Amino acid sequence: MKTTIFSQISIDGKLTMGAGNSSKELFSLFSSEDMEFIHLFRGKVQGIMVGKNTILTDNPFLTNRYEENKNPIRIIPTTTLDIPLDCNVLSDQGKTIIVTTEKGRDEEKIKQIRQRGKECLICGEDKVDFVELERQLEENYGITSLLVEGGGFLNWHIFNQDIVDEIILMQLPIIIGGSTNITLVDGDGYQQLSFAKKFKVVEIQPKDNYTLMRYKKVI
């Protein structure tokens, strides 16, 4: 499976204007053509993943608004299954897979999710096992391309489990700052350079409102 991180960030790598804020504020700096680029990119992949915090803060639909019937399957990992049943990804007709752990297994909540026509997978004991998740997505759902529009916490886990093949960034020419603000990758981090995940630059393309940057994993 090809896994791509796709994110809109500031020069200093921030995803929002502050902890607990929606990322949608940054989207106001994009033109309609920029937003079309984001949505059309979703039409090129089979699955799209965001974390629980994105659902709680932004309540997105995660659809492709510019091409009918080209919406990716939405995949939402949550360790403890504490996701609102009235969120958009559980309330519309689109296909959604909620992923949780043995620790977070709640049979009543799983039943309620499935009653909404959505699916629920168990991957991992106390943390989501993304390697196992990708195996199940590929074998059981035919998903071979996954787009991750995650926050710093989700991104950390998939980098740490070494499943990211490509990074695509739309870098806005602004500085936000803030020591507690969400960045592209948060989590524990690496204290030794030898453990850092290495990527090579494959494209840098200046646009009117942002710089498009693409990186590929060093094999």
Side-chain angles (χ1 to χ4, degrees):
M1 179 184 292
K2 180 180 179 181
T3 301
T4 301
I5 291 274
F6 185 39
S7 190
Q8 297 73 41
I9 63 171
S10 63
I11 290 173
D12 52 335
K14 307 300 183 181
L15 301 185
T16 72
M17 297 302 299
N21 287 8
S22 170
S23 60
K24 291 180 180 178
E25 291 180 87
L26 296 188
F27 283 64
S28 66
L29 300 175
F30 291 122
S31 68
S32 58
E33 290 79 12
D34 301 335
M35 294 304 298
E36 183 175 357
F37 170 76
I38 294 171
H39 283 270
L40 290 178
F41 198 87
R42 293 175 178 174
K44 298 177 181 179
V45 298
Q46 295 165 307
I48 183 170
M49 180 187 292
V50 302
K52 177 198 68 178
N53 288 338
T54 297
I55 298 298
L56 294 177
T57 304
D58 294 348
N59 195 20
F61 285 96
L62 302 175
T63 55
N64 172 8
R65 299 175 189 170
Y66 293 85
E67 296 175 295
E68 193 172 351
N69 299 320
K70 291 194 73 174
N71 292 323
I73 297 174
R74 301 167 299 193
I75 301 143
I76 316 297
T78 164
T79 302
T80 56
L81 208 58
D82 51 343
I83 182 172
L85 292 171
D86 61 351
C87 65
N88 288 327
V89 296
L90 293 180
S91 302
D92 68 4
Q93 299 302 310
K95 189 163 187 176
T96 301
I97 301 172
I98 305 298
V99 184
T100 192
T101 62
E102 291 292 348
K103 176 183 177 181
R105 183 191 287 268
D106 180 334
E107 295 300 339
E108 179 58 30
K109 191 76 172 281
I110 291 173
K111 179 181 177 182
Q112 291 176 315
I113 289 170
R114 289 175 173 161
Q115 285 175 340
R116 285 163 169 76
K118 314 306 180 185
E119 300 192 38
C120 191
L121 300 178
I122 308 295
C123 291
E125 292 297 324
D126 56 353
K127 293 182 180 179
V128 174
D129 183 337
F130 288 97
V131 175
E132 170 62 17
L133 172 58
E134 288 206 342
R135 184 193 68 78
Q136 291 193 34
L137 291 176
E138 191 162 357
E139 290 186 5
N140 301 329
Y141 300 92
I143 296 175
T144 58
S145 56
L146 178 65
L147 184 66
V148 181
E149 295 187 5
F153 189 68
L154 172 59
N155 290 347
W156 159 253
H157 282 291
I158 65 171
F159 275 114
N160 196 41
Q161 294 187 35
D162 205 27
I163 63 171
V164 179
D165 302 294
E166 179 183 40
I167 305 168
I168 300 176
L169 301 178
M170 299 171 71
Q171 187 183 60
L172 290 156
I174 60 172
I175 295 292
I176 297 175
S179 60
T180 61
N181 200 351
I182 299 170
T183 64
L184 181 66
V185 184
D186 293 321
D188 297 331
Y190 301 113
Q191 283 72 52
Q192 297 182 42
L193 184 59
S194 59
F195 290 123
K197 304 303 179 182
K198 297 176 176 63
F199 289 78
K200 62 180 179 181
V201 180
V202 295
E203 181 183 3
I204 297 180
Q205 191 176 146
K207 302 286 187 178
D208 289 342
N209 301 312
Y210 66 95
T211 300
L212 180 67
M213 300 184 293
R214 296 177 185 254
Y215 305 85
K216 287 191 176 180
K217 181 180 178 179
V218 174
I219 300 176

